[in-house]
Amino acid sequence: MPTTQQSPLKAVPSTSETVLITGGAGFLGSALCDHYINRGMRVICVDNLSTGRMQNIEHLMENDAFSFIKHDVSVPFDISEDIGFIFNMASPASPPKYQIDPIATFRTIVIGAENMLTLAHRKGARILEASTSEIYGDPEVSPQPETYRGSVNTMGPRSCYDEGKRAAETLFYDYNKNLGTDIRVARIFNTYGPRMDPEDGRVVSNFIVQALSGNDLTIYGDGSQTRSFCYVDDLIAGLVALMHTQGNHYSAVNLGNPGEYTVRALATMILEETQSASHITLKPLPVDDPRQRRPDIGLAWRLLHWEPKVPLREGLRLTIPYFALELEQNPAVAKVAV
């Protein structure tokens, strides 16, 4: 992978354009809202607040260029004003949360994608699907390139999310092929940073909350499974670059940090950075938990001149204070991550 600095992002075509962001009160969605407000664009945030949090966008509510609409994307949606760009970010991404109601999860992902594609086609807007590395399942090749078709289980506890995202990608490709809808598809790998839900049950948030609370860090399996962790600012830069890249590029693009760490190494690093006296405990590995996760980001570099800049340890140092404040404001969170 080239080590030169990534090229500056292309300018947004017009400050008069409106950006609609579904799931805009979530971790990544709210960061996108901030990005476009800071660029002087109009932002419409759509979220049903099932996993999104108003505290992520409350600082924007008094901004005349920002609007919030509480709505479930699995219900058809229309809006009167012109829209230039749509980010379809609406979906629970936390395994414990999306498994609570798998039917609702699947409907949000698939029917929600169709509803937003219909809106994009009607408005002549470009639309980006926030897909996921989970479509690769438990991969048999590493790193995972976009051409890899995955090793997935259609009947496992994670299938509502994994297969939902695969089906949503299919809808995006078919809308483009048959209706000419202007699409982009980003396959997002593990992303972390401020505004993560402390109760989302994902590995970074769990470990940090456990370490700060003095609880043992829970590793599922023996900790040898690997993950790649991308800091939120890097991921947002990649999403924006993909949305605004010129030309007709409609195939999926991996966005993530190719640095690969074992789960045990992550736990050790978090213990060091929090200066916690907590220990590590082992529990059985969940069904269909992938053994490896590492993106091949060669396409993102060639197409977007994008690569992540923030190393894991630096990103953790930027993230830990956020969780410390969350715990200070809501001590009950410490019990959820045990």
Side-chain angles (χ1 to χ4, degrees):
M1 180 58 53
T3 56
T4 53
Q5 293 293 313
Q6 68 186 59
S7 300
L9 298 181
K10 298 180 178 69
V12 173
S14 170
T15 56
S16 65
E17 294 278 16
T18 296
V19 182
L20 188 149
I21 302 169
T22 71
F27 166 43
L28 297 179
S30 64
L32 281 169
C33 290
D34 281 347
H35 175 89
Y36 283 102
I37 287 294
N38 290 337
R39 292 180 75 153
M41 296 180 72
R42 164 114 170 90
V43 172
I44 301 172
C45 169
V46 179
D47 203 303
N48 70 352
L49 301 179
S50 59
T51 56
R53 303 196 294 170
M54 284 301 297
Q55 68 191 63
N56 289 339
I57 57 171
E58 61 187 0
H59 62 288
L60 298 173
M61 296 299 287
E62 300 301 319
N63 192 311
D64 291 339
F66 179 81
S67 295
F68 171 70
I69 300 172
K70 187 177 181 181
H71 183 80
D72 186 333
V73 295
S74 65
V75 178
F77 177 78
D78 198 7
I79 194 165
S80 58
E81 63 187 283
D82 292 337
I83 300 170
F85 305 98
I86 299 174
F87 285 88
N88 188 37
M89 312 294 291
S91 168
S94 157
K97 292 195 173 183
Y98 68 60
Q99 291 175 35
I100 291 173
D101 190 343
I103 295 173
T105 296
F106 192 84
R107 287 177 55 85
T108 297
I109 295 170
V110 179
I111 298 176
E114 183 175 17
N115 287 337
M116 299 318 298
L117 281 162
T118 299
L119 179 64
H121 180 67
R122 187 162 60 244
K123 295 291 185 180
R126 177 176 294 173
I127 182 169
L128 182 147
E129 167 67 2
S131 190
T132 174
S133 62
E134 298 298 322
I135 66 103
Y136 297 123
D138 189 4
E140 297 168 344
V141 299
S142 187
Q144 293 87 56
E146 290 86 353
T147 53
Y148 177 55
R149 295 183 180 181
S151 174
V152 294
N153 177 6
T154 62
M155 297 185 292
R158 303 168 70 104
S159 300
C160 59
Y161 184 75
D162 304 355
E163 293 300 290
K165 289 293 189 178
R166 290 166 69 92
E169 283 196 17
T170 298
L171 276 172
F172 267 68
Y173 304 139
D174 287 343
Y175 262 73
N176 171 252
K177 180 179 178 181
N178 293 292
L179 299 175
T181 308
D182 190 357
I183 68 165
R184 300 288 188 268
V185 176
R187 289 181 181 162
I188 298 171
F189 284 67
N190 284 26
T191 305
Y192 68 98
R195 295 191 192 163
M196 290 184 79
D197 183 350
E199 301 178 3
D200 69 5
R202 287 189 275 187
V203 64
V204 171
S205 53
N206 258 12
F207 283 175
I208 294 177
V209 170
Q210 288 170 338
L212 291 173
S213 305
N215 298 318
D216 287 349
L217 276 61
T218 306
I219 288 180
Y220 295 93
D222 63 4
S224 63
Q225 64 270 40
T226 65
R227 297 291 184 269
S228 299
F229 302 100
C230 187
Y231 187 65
V232 58
D233 289 359
D234 284 334
L235 192 281
I236 295 302
L239 289 174
V240 172
L242 180 58
M243 175 63 91
H244 297 290
T245 189
Q246 302 304 309
N248 301 323
H249 187 84
Y250 301 132
S251 61
V253 178
N254 287 339
L255 294 178
N257 194 316
E260 188 175 15
Y261 296 85
T262 66
V263 171
R264 184 178 285 274
L266 172 68
T268 300
M269 192 179 298
I270 288 173
L271 288 174
E272 292 171 353
E273 291 301 322
T274 57
Q275 298 182 349
S276 173
S278 298
H279 300 287
I280 291 173
T281 60
L282 304 181
K283 291 189 176 182
L285 194 67
V287 175
D288 292 339
D289 194 63
R291 294 163 296 175
Q292 283 186 305
R293 187 68 84 232
R294 181 188 178 196
D296 179 334
I297 60 169
L299 178 59
W301 173 259
R302 294 190 298 273
L303 179 69
L304 310 173
H305 294 288
W306 176 88
E307 61 178 357
K309 296 179 177 180
V310 181
L312 178 56
R313 191 176 291 273
E314 179 182 338
L316 291 174
R317 289 172 180 170
L318 294 168
T319 303
I320 288 168
Y322 158 78
F323 281 102
L325 182 59
E326 286 280 318
L327 281 167
E328 180 182 325
Q329 295 174 342
N330 184 12
V333 170
K335 299 178 181 179
V336 177
V338 175

